[in-house]
Amino acid sequence: MRRYDPRWLIVFGANLLLWWLVGLANDALAGSAVHLYVGGLFVVYASLQLDRKHGLIALALTGLMFDAAAPVPFGTSLFLLGLVHATLLYGRRQFPREGSVFGIVVAQLANLFLFIALSFLLVGANPHPADAWLRLFVDLLASQLAILLIAPWFLALQARAMELAHIHPETGRRVTV
């Protein structure tokens, strides 16, 4: 008999929580004209800790969630998150997956790639594209700083959620406490 495996749901739920919290932070920062984008942080746990299938499901739902609220063609975030996920899966065996330091570095690099890719897609819609790059640079710096502060908590949250569910993240087997 097959047992239901909620790993993708746990990671997607944590991603949904972070998306909501970053939305609240962006609302609070709206007066200072700074926007945080932490897309690279959503990819790290799903790509480094989960198996391929469950990580892809969690990231596909996360990408669709981003696309529903962003002014990009539908599927753009889904494609970009999937690309980062596939890249991390390719080199996953060589990566030190224990500890949060490597996860923070991966989140920083993934966020840099995602931010630049989305910036090139969106800057053309700006009436003054040349003026937008300075604002994007400030947003990137603020986002990278936010990831440095948030990443240890968020990675620990996802790991703890798996512990509370008594599930091993990569195999999906029950873990006895």
Side-chain angles (χ1 to χ4, degrees), residues 5 18 22 53 87 116-117 143 149:
D5 192 354
L18 180 62
V22 170
K53 175 183 156 189
T87 303
I116 290 172
S143 299
L149 298 173

Side-chain angles (χ1 to χ4, degrees), residues 69-83:
V72 296
F74 199 72
T76 303
S77 296
L78 171 67
F79 173 74
L80 291 174
L81 289 178
L83 183 63

Side-chain angles (χ1 to χ4, degrees), residues 28-79:
L29 292 171
S32 62
V34 175
H35 178 79
L36 299 178
Y37 178 78
V38 295
L41 192 52
F42 293 98
V43 179
V44 175
Y45 191 84
S47 297
L48 295 180
Q49 300 297 327
L50 296 183
D51 65 316
R52 295 172 194 259
K53 175 183 156 189
H54 290 90
L56 185 60
I57 292 170
L59 288 177
L61 291 173
T62 302
L64 292 174
M65 177 180 66
F66 287 173
D67 286 335
V72 296
F74 199 72
T76 303
S77 296
L78 171 67
F79 173 74

Side-chain angles (χ1 to χ4, degrees), residues 124 130 143 152 166 173:
S143 299
H166 302 292
R173 294 190 181 115

Side-chain angles (χ1 to χ4, degrees), residues 1-7 54 165-168 171-175:
M1 181 173 151
R2 263 185 90 132
R3 178 179 65 84
Y4 178 69
D5 192 354
R7 289 180 287 166
H54 290 90
H166 302 292
I167 298 174
H168 187 272
T171 62
R173 294 190 181 115
R174 290 295 252 174
V175 177

Side-chain angles (χ1 to χ4, degrees), residues 10-12 14-15 41-42 44-46 153-163:
I10 293 169
V11 172
F12 177 66
N15 286 350
L41 192 52
F42 293 98
V44 175
Y45 191 84
W153 167 79
F154 187 60
L155 294 173
L157 173 78
Q158 291 176 317
R160 183 68 178 141
M162 288 292 178
E163 285 177 19

